[in-house]
Amino acid sequence: MDILVIGGGGREHAICWALAKSPKARRIYCAPGNAGIGQIAEIVPIQVHEFERLTSFAREKKVDLVVVGPDDPLVDGIVDAFEAEGIPVFGPRKNAALIEGSKTFMKDLLKKYDIPTAAYEKFEDYEQALAYLRTQAVPIVIKADGLAAGKGVTVAFTREDAEQALRQIMVDKVFGESGSQVVIEEFLAGQEMSILSFVDGETVRPMAAAQDHKQVYDGDKGPNTGGMGTYSPLPHIADSIIEEAIETIIKPTAKAMVQEGRPFRGVLFAGLMITPDGKPKTIEFNARFGDPETQVVLPRLKSDLLEIFLAAVNGTLAEAEIEWSDEAAVCVILASGGYPASYPKGLPMTGLDAADSDASGLVFHAGTAKNEAGEWVTNGGRVLGVVGLGKGIAEARERAYASAEKIRFEGKHNRTDIAAKALV
């Protein structure tokens, strides 16, 4: 089969890597891809929002399956565009991707169907939002309604920070029209957990649980990023809690989407908080593979990812074989200096070959390119995801950091405490 993967980050590199292991995978295209993905897939220089060019390419190449990675094209209806051309595609339609595209829609859905989540209020008017905010205790959470590249959420620990975040979203429009509406939400303390699931309507097949590190600095300090590292499994979280989250949050949400006339097909990502009383609550839902969660989850998948995608598209997901390895995986993100604010590009990198040669690890490219001399250079905020594999978190973590240390570029920044909580 010939497959077209849409996207160009670390998540898409991991997806292409996993698909390439399938005996059914003949040719893999990736649009727009990146230099690292080009090592295993044919790069197609078409951007993710160019729906007409993408569908034309898929028709011309007689692509058998399209897999959509990023959130923006899903929310904008790329799956609908491919379906209109009769091209098989893995991912949710526009009306189902709204569960990520609008936080107010998501929160209202959970409230309607009594699915556990934090208390909240939504606002379209800045003055009303500010007046409400001033009646609330801190810490408190401020969220832009729409997509914001993983950076539209502020956990404010002071009233000043809360008011500044609200002003930046609604007045300064730092996230554009994504900030025309906001959700002001109760702060939930506890352990975070991510559960990604293959979903086809009411059929939910959970993946191995993972935990992300959003803040840029050690100790969960500094601004939110798209993710600075992940690990899986979660030995410090009881299986009973994971099962409770699946039964009380993920499955009811899939069922609710069907009842709303928005059946979800694709990967449903649940961002969860385990509160001090041991109960999971919903922080967010995403309509696609997480990044960088995918980089630790897919290396633990023993089954054929292409077969799972095809089962979801064909409506046979309930019968699909899905088996997970007992192996642990830890991903450390190597970021450009200055990320998540402004950062330089085009900086030379060394040590990639040494890191790639590690038998117990993987390097997924997120923001890389090759210059005219054929040398690796940085080309994004999150540059690489370095993954270590091992019998447990400690071994996988040691291997990830050992590989990450081999890679050098000016201003390189990474957290040093990824997965540390799992060792306590």
Side-chain angles (χ1 to χ4, degrees):
M1 297 184 69
D2 292 347
I3 308 153
L4 170 61
V5 176
I6 293 173
R11 163 185 49 220
E12 288 75 30
H13 193 176
I15 291 170
C16 289
W17 169 83
L19 287 172
K21 296 194 294 182
S22 172
K24 280 190 174 180
R26 181 173 55 187
R27 185 179 287 107
I28 301 174
Y29 303 101
C30 189
N34 64 44
I37 295 174
Q39 297 174 110
I40 55 172
E42 184 176 325
I43 298 303
V44 180
I46 304 175
Q47 298 303 309
V48 300
H49 60 273
E50 296 181 283
F51 292 3
E52 190 171 331
R53 290 186 65 200
L54 288 167
T55 54
S56 295
F57 175 86
R59 280 199 313 271
E60 176 192 335
K61 297 295 184 180
K62 296 182 171 58
V63 165
D64 299 293
L65 178 68
V66 176
V67 179
V68 185
D71 46 15
D72 291 48
L74 288 169
V75 170
D76 290 340
I78 193 170
V79 167
D80 308 64
F82 278 107
E83 286 186 341
E85 297 292 334
I87 300 168
V89 54
F90 177 81
R93 294 173 181 151
K94 182 176 183 177
N95 71 343
L98 191 64
I99 198 167
E100 177 170 11
S102 171
K103 293 181 179 64
T104 57
F105 168 80
M106 184 271 289
K107 295 291 288 189
D108 289 348
L109 179 83
L110 300 187
K111 183 177 182 180
K112 178 178 178 179
Y113 289 91
D114 199 25
I115 296 167
T117 189
Y120 72 102
E121 293 290 343
K122 58 184 181 180
F123 298 92
E124 293 182 357
D125 181 84
Y126 170 69
E127 295 297 339
Q128 291 179 5
L130 182 61
Y132 172 79
L133 182 60
R134 287 174 172 169
T135 68
Q136 301 302 299
V138 291
I140 197 162
V141 183
I142 317 292
K143 296 181 175 180
D145 176 60
L147 300 178
K151 304 178 188 74
V153 177
T154 297
V155 179
F157 289 90
T158 68
R159 195 166 302 284
E160 291 74 21
D161 286 348
E163 292 187 12
Q164 180 185 30
L166 184 66
R167 184 169 58 254
Q168 288 178 334
I169 292 170
M170 300 196 80
V171 179
D172 301 339
K173 295 287 187 181
V174 294
F175 303 118
E177 287 308 304
S178 289
S180 58
Q181 194 170 15
V182 297
V183 171
I184 299 178
E185 190 174 271
E186 167 196 17
F187 172 76
L188 295 177
Q191 279 274 11
E192 287 195 47
M193 173 173 68
S194 301
I195 300 178
L196 288 70
S197 300
F198 299 109
V199 175
D200 180 19
E202 293 191 26
T203 299
V204 174
R205 302 293 301 276
M207 304 185 209
Q211 188 173 88
D212 187 16
H213 296 68
K214 282 288 186 192
Q215 282 77 20
V216 69
Y217 300 124
D218 286 5
D220 297 330
K221 305 294 184 185
N224 267 356
T225 70
M228 292 298 294
T230 43
Y231 62 99
S232 178
L234 310 180
H236 55 305
I237 296 177
D239 289 345
S240 59
I241 294 176
I242 295 173
E243 187 61 30
E244 182 178 351
I246 293 165
E247 295 298 327
T248 65
I249 294 174
I250 301 172
K251 288 183 178 179
T253 299
K255 186 175 182 179
M257 291 291 281
V258 171
Q259 292 177 321
E260 292 292 308
R262 302 171 184 268
F264 191 99
R265 184 182 69 202
V267 171
L268 186 61
F269 172 124
L272 308 164
M273 181 70 76
I274 303 164
T275 56
D277 62 1
K279 295 294 182 183
K281 287 189 175 183
T282 314
I283 300 174
E284 64 177 353
F285 273 109
N286 294 328
R288 37 70 189 181
F289 276 106
D291 187 350
E293 288 87 353
T294 308
Q295 289 89 307
V296 292
V297 171
L298 288 187
R300 298 190 59 216
L301 178 65
K302 294 173 68 175
S303 305
D304 187 322
L305 181 64
L306 179 54
E307 293 282 12
I308 298 169
F309 285 164
L310 292 172
V313 170
N314 296 329
T316 58
L317 183 61
E319 288 81 50
E321 177 189 338
I322 305 179
E323 189 178 355
W324 300 94
S325 166
D326 291 332
E327 202 170 33
V330 173
C331 175
V332 177
I333 296 295
L334 306 186
S336 295
Y339 177 79
S342 60
Y343 50 83
K345 292 184 179 181
L347 300 175
M349 290 190 288
T350 60
L352 261 177
D353 290 342
D356 271 328
S357 66
D358 286 349
S360 58
L362 300 161
V363 179
F364 293 119
H365 291 237
T368 65
K370 284 194 172 182
N371 62 18
E372 292 180 357
E375 300 166 325
W376 289 106
V377 295
T378 64
N379 194 42
R382 290 186 296 173
V383 179
L384 297 161
V386 182
V387 178
L389 304 171
K391 294 178 181 177
I393 292 294
E395 185 176 63
R397 186 174 187 270
E398 182 179 340
R399 289 173 172 173
Y401 277 109
S403 293
E405 184 61 29
K406 296 175 182 177
I407 300 169
R408 306 279 180 167
F409 56 88
E410 184 182 343
K412 183 185 88 171
H413 166 69
N414 61 266
R415 284 183 57 161
T416 65
D417 61 349
I418 303 301
K421 291 178 184 175
L423 303 178
V424 176

